[in-house]
Amino acid sequence: MDKIAILTDSCSDVPRNLLERFKIYEMALSINYKDKSYRDRIDITPEEVYENLKNEIPHTSLPTVGEMHEKLEQIIADGYNQIIIPVISSGLSGTCKAIEMVCEDFKNIKTKVIDTKNIALGSGFLSIYAAQLVEKNLNFEEIVKKVENKIENSNIYYSLQTLHYLVKGGRLGRVEGMIGSILQIKPIISCDEDGIYYTVEKVRGRKQSINKIIEIVQDKIKDKKNYYLTICHGYAQEEADKIREKMQPYIDKATIYMEGQISPALGVHTGPGLIGIGCFNFDD
């Protein structure tokens, strides 16, 4: 009998309670300092990363080939023979290509790696959606097709305090607006159809940029019946709390609502002060 597992990566930011609720497996990326490496969210917290940024900006790396092998072997040992693997954008990370190569070593099971073309819960939404389709007893091909067809329905938008860390980490992508820093121009950042960071809009001032993101997301879900919603942040809890108050009517109607800090491996590249709001519409 076929048994389908869902596997994702830690930069897809699926909250721990939902990983457990939907039995989603996770591969941890690594945060690497000069003297030590840590597994994302396992050995290090977001707070520890932000508090140490003034001393050292670490590098991030993929799960090792050995770790990915172990994870797939664990899933097989748990009784699964089919694995659907939605992961963060291949335009931002080598995770997608790496796990595809590892899957080639597992000839006796069916696997499908899905490039979500997104990051954080913009990617994680698709793992949760896939897990819900497993619960509905859809078959492997049906789930893969539905998830791939919904990639463009998953969106997350960010406002950053500074672009300094994106530049340092080489993750600037197609984001513009560096010249506008003196004028307090705050680009609203998302992933484009290629899964690369780009500027959605340029807004003057932090407050206006956050209000604009709220407006963008509300407009996407205002007439939708079935959607997930997230408010996430990087060391900006107070602002996230205020956004929750403004978004409460939409939170109340969401099929699933998620909030919290982005993963440490993402925080390395965005720095403190990130605000993100994301939605996933799965109306058929």
Side-chain angles (χ1 to χ4, degrees), residues 11-264:
C11 283
S12 292
D13 264 356
V14 179
R16 181 63 43 196
N17 66 313
L18 294 181
L19 291 173
E20 292 170 0
R21 174 177 161 188
F22 292 116
K23 300 180 177 66
I24 298 169
Y25 291 84
E26 184 182 69
M27 305 175 284
L29 277 75
S30 293
I31 296 102
N32 308 307
Y33 291 91
K34 288 171 187 170
D35 59 346
K36 194 172 181 182
S37 291
Y38 301 87
R39 291 169 299 167
D40 196 21
R41 283 199 197 271
I42 297 171
D43 307 318
I44 195 166
T45 66
E47 291 83 359
E48 287 169 327
V49 168
Y50 293 121
E51 287 163 11
N52 200 46
L53 281 175
K54 58 184 177 291
N55 303 317
E56 183 182 351
I57 301 175
H59 299 286
T60 56
S61 61
L62 315 180
T64 66
V65 170
E67 287 169 338
M68 288 188 275
H69 262 272
E70 282 177 21
K71 186 61 69 172
L72 290 176
E73 285 162 3
Q74 177 196 343
I75 293 170
I76 294 165
D78 287 345
Y80 296 93
N81 58 359
Q82 300 182 341
I83 311 173
I84 297 170
I85 312 169
V87 292
I88 59 170
S89 173
S90 60
L92 296 171
S93 170
T95 305
C96 187
K97 291 274 193 300
I99 189 65
E100 278 180 339
M101 289 176 66
V102 168
C103 285
E104 289 175 8
D105 296 334
F106 291 81
K107 308 290 187 189
N108 297 327
I109 60 166
K110 189 183 284 189
T111 59
K112 175 62 179 178
V113 179
I114 297 175
D115 182 353
T116 65
K117 307 286 188 184
N118 221 317
I119 194 82
L121 271 163
S123 173
F125 286 148
L126 293 159
S127 289
I128 297 165
Y129 179 59
Q132 289 202 300
L133 295 176
V134 171
E135 287 188 344
K136 291 180 179 177
N137 294 317
L138 273 70
N139 68 37
F140 186 91
E141 284 75 19
E142 288 171 328
I143 294 170
V144 168
K145 186 177 180 182
K146 274 184 168 286
V147 171
E148 289 182 332
N149 286 344
K150 288 284 191 286
I151 286 173
E152 64 183 25
N153 290 27
S154 189
N155 303 102
I156 194 159
Y157 303 91
Y158 295 112
S159 175
L160 306 183
Q161 283 285 23
T162 173
L163 296 178
H164 171 74
Y165 297 96
L166 277 186
V167 174
K168 279 275 187 184
R171 297 298 202 281
L172 199 60
R174 294 163 186 159
V175 175
E176 309 159 16
M178 295 300 293
I179 301 167
S181 58
I182 300 167
L183 299 172
Q184 278 295 296
I185 300 297
K186 299 288 185 185
I188 292 169
I189 298 169
S190 191
C191 289
D192 64 15
E193 63 275 7
D194 298 319
I196 306 290
Y197 289 140
Y198 81 110
T199 302
V200 179
E201 286 197 40
K202 296 176 190 173
V203 184
R204 182 169 292 176
R206 171 76 163 183
K207 186 177 179 183
Q208 286 86 343
S209 72
I210 291 172
N211 285 340
K212 187 63 183 177
I213 295 175
I214 291 172
E215 182 186 314
I216 290 168
V217 172
Q218 286 179 345
D219 191 54
K220 279 193 170 291
I221 59 177
K222 64 186 179 187
D223 56 352
K224 301 296 187 289
K225 291 180 181 176
N226 301 298
Y227 62 85
Y228 305 152
L229 182 63
T230 185
I231 298 169
C232 55
H233 69 94
Y235 222 41
Q237 184 70 60
E238 201 170 303
E239 286 175 300
D241 290 343
K242 289 176 182 173
I243 294 165
R244 191 197 309 117
E245 290 174 21
K246 291 183 179 180
M247 296 286 291
Q248 197 61 54
Y250 295 89
I251 292 169
D252 292 342
K253 292 177 184 175
T255 306
I256 296 176
Y257 169 66
M258 294 152 266
E259 66 178 30
Q261 295 243 43
I262 61 167
S263 75

